[in-house]
Amino acid sequence: MRKVLQIITRSDWAGAQKVMYNIVYGLKKYYSEEFEVEVAFGKENGMLIAELEKIGIKYHIINDLVREVSPIKDFKAYLQIKSLIKQNRYDVVHTHSSKAGILGRIAAKRAGVKKVIHTYHGFWGIEQYTGIKRALLILAERIAAKYADYLVLLCKRDLEKAKKWKIGQESQYKIIHNAIIPEERIERGLLRKELNIPDNIKIVGNVARLDRQKNPMRFLRIAEEVVKQRDDVVFVWIGGSVVEDEYGAEVQKYLQEHESLKDKAYILSFRKDANKLMADFDVFLLTSDSEGAPLVVLEAQSLGIPVVSTDVGCVGEMIGNQNVTSDVNKLKHLLLTILEKGKFNNYVLQSYEDFVALHVDIYKGDR
């Protein structure tokens, strides 16, 4: 039996954590006789822990593994990860997120691990910066790539970015599209009942953290323009602040100061039942500045909800390039068109079983 360690920086319940959880869940469900899987992460937040406990997965807390750059803590975290790997003699180490990805890959190879994999959940960690800081982050990823056997990209667009920045070699690249764990049929009506929204009112929504990358301000500005043209639409954002409490306060202030959005736009906090609330959306509006391959888009598609989005990450490959644009005005018109006509293409790139099987293939691979 092969021992697998998954490592991620934070233990909250956001996109990268959910993708990692989907891998772990699949290994446990379909390949429990071939793989023993464990997870390691920093002590911040901790919402992932309850989900792992539900399915009986052993986890390890790396006390000094934090999101912020801290040379002393980072070195301590590296030593803690390396010690954990040596102590448990893992056959495969699979890293996720920037900090855990760099420290984990180097520690794993130096501890003698046979197979080291890193998944890039988009490139926001690089793209949010310019100039020397971006150059240094690209350099760090180039160095870390030398300590991996495989680099998993979520789509062709991300693969092209890795090639452009000379991160890794083509022989290391593996595209594995995200997929979600199939759920039983979700009943509609929960969100409408909670917010007292009548059936004749259309709901445009998003489910995301309340931070700069997800750009809720753009969501609210589009809402302002749309409600000027239609009085039968409301906008609902589900998801609180995880990293930037101060920015979340700015969003709430903006909402309070714009009278036109009163009873037309709602900001809900983080909800574990977000997928059930989302079932009432008529259109899903993604307004992010950067993404990988967001699971929430797959969740919307599985519910039959049309998606329009900024042209970020893998989203164009997920929903069709005709439904993405970098122009805010065009995004508004795309949204209005779908509200009017209700027509959209529902792309399905990959099944959940295939998603898990592709990871198993690289865990077993000869490299």
Side-chain angles (χ1 to χ4, degrees):
M1 181 178 286
R2 292 178 172 89
K3 292 189 71 175
V4 179
L5 178 67
Q6 305 277 341
I7 310 177
I8 196 162
T9 306
R10 293 170 60 91
S11 56
D12 50 22
W13 191 240
Q17 287 79 9
K18 290 179 181 178
V19 173
M20 185 199 69
Y21 174 86
N22 289 352
I23 297 168
V24 170
Y25 181 91
L27 292 175
K28 177 89 172 179
K29 181 173 181 178
Y30 302 117
Y31 298 93
S32 60
E33 294 184 359
E34 298 180 63
F35 294 97
E36 178 185 345
V37 60
E38 299 177 3
V39 179
F41 41 70
K43 63 182 179 181
E44 294 179 271
N45 199 294
M47 285 185 282
L48 174 63
I49 292 173
E51 301 304 317
L52 294 174
E53 287 177 342
K54 287 177 187 175
I55 59 172
I57 297 296
K58 184 177 180 180
Y59 58 86
H60 308 270
I61 297 176
I62 309 298
N63 289 318
D64 289 296
L65 182 56
V66 296
R67 180 176 178 267
E68 297 74 21
V69 175
S70 171
I72 294 174
K73 280 184 173 289
D74 293 347
F75 183 64
K76 287 181 178 179
Y78 165 77
L79 294 177
Q80 290 160 11
I81 293 168
K82 189 175 180 183
S83 175
L84 174 67
I85 291 169
K86 280 188 169 183
Q87 182 181 344
N88 289 281
R89 298 181 179 181
Y90 298 104
D91 301 290
V92 178
V93 169
H94 187 166
T95 63
H96 308 258
S97 67
S98 299
K99 180 72 73 69
I102 291 171
L103 300 179
R105 277 176 279 177
I106 296 172
K109 273 301 177 190
R110 290 188 171 173
V113 175
K114 299 172 185 175
K115 188 69 61 65
V116 179
I117 297 110
H118 178 69
T119 293
Y120 289 101
H121 299 273
F123 284 103
W124 173 244
I126 291 173
E127 291 174 323
Q128 65 181 309
Y129 301 110
T130 57
I132 188 66
K133 194 162 189 178
R134 176 181 283 199
L136 288 172
L137 289 166
I138 291 171
L139 178 61
E141 286 295 345
R142 286 176 182 169
I143 294 169
K146 297 178 186 295
Y147 292 85
D149 297 288
Y150 288 99
L151 301 173
V152 176
L153 293 310
L154 306 182
C155 64
K156 293 177 183 177
R157 190 178 200 176
D158 277 2
L159 186 150
E160 292 303 319
K161 288 178 184 178
K163 287 171 66 175
K164 180 181 74 173
W165 292 326
K166 297 182 173 63
I167 296 172
Q169 305 295 321
E170 284 197 57
S171 60
Q172 293 173 279
Y173 298 156
K174 183 81 172 178
I175 292 178
I176 301 181
H177 301 292
N178 279 345
I180 57 173
I181 299 170
E183 290 199 44
E184 295 180 4
R185 186 174 178 273
I186 295 175
E187 295 295 328
R188 301 178 189 273
L190 187 62
L191 180 64
R192 289 185 180 277
K193 182 178 180 181
E194 182 171 321
L195 297 179
N196 196 28
I197 300 172
D199 289 341
N200 65 322
I201 301 296
K202 293 185 180 294
I203 302 174
V204 176
N206 193 349
V207 178
R209 302 187 309 274
L210 212 57
D211 66 20
R212 296 177 197 278
Q213 176 193 350
K214 305 300 183 180
N215 208 330
M217 291 294 198
R218 180 181 288 135
F219 182 86
L220 292 177
R221 291 188 183 107
I222 291 173
E224 281 186 279
E225 293 300 314
V226 170
V227 298
K228 289 176 184 176
Q229 298 183 44
R230 295 187 60 140
D231 62 1
D232 63 340
V233 182
V234 298
F235 287 73
V236 180
W237 183 288
I238 303 171
S241 301
V242 174
V243 178
E244 297 184 86
D245 289 336
E246 187 176 315
Y247 182 70
E250 286 180 31
V251 174
Q252 293 288 357
K253 183 181 178 183
Y254 182 93
L255 186 59
Q256 292 165 7
E257 290 177 348
H258 288 75
E259 188 69 22
S260 63
L261 293 177
K262 185 179 180 182
D263 299 324
K264 292 292 185 179
Y266 303 86
I267 305 289
L268 305 185
S269 61
F270 172 84
R271 297 282 293 265
K272 286 299 296 292
D273 61 347
N275 61 332
K276 295 178 181 176
L277 298 173
M278 187 170 68
D280 283 344
F281 290 177
D282 292 282
V283 184
F284 191 97
L285 172 63
L286 191 74
T287 54
S288 302
D289 290 332
S290 181
E291 286 288 351
L295 293 182
V296 71
V297 168
L298 298 177
E299 290 167 354
Q301 289 175 312
S302 73
L303 291 166
I305 301 167
V307 180
V308 293
S309 174
T310 43
D311 188 9
V312 289
C314 305
V315 179
E317 293 176 46
M318 297 170 72
I319 67 173
N321 288 321
Q322 72 276 14
N323 294 319
V324 301
T325 178
S326 297
D327 184 288
V328 175
N329 196 48
K330 288 181 181 177
L331 189 59
K332 180 193 75 173
H333 285 295
L334 272 175
L335 174 58
L336 285 167
T337 298
I338 289 182
L339 285 170
E340 181 66 32
K341 298 181 179 179
K343 293 181 179 179
F344 72 105
N345 291 318
N346 192 6
Y347 285 64
V348 178
L349 293 176
Q350 184 169 270
S351 72
Y352 176 65
E353 290 78 6
D354 287 344
F355 165 81
V356 178
L358 286 167
H359 283 93
V360 168
D361 287 345
I362 59 176
Y363 293 171
K364 289 180 175 180
D366 294 332
R367 184 180 301 162

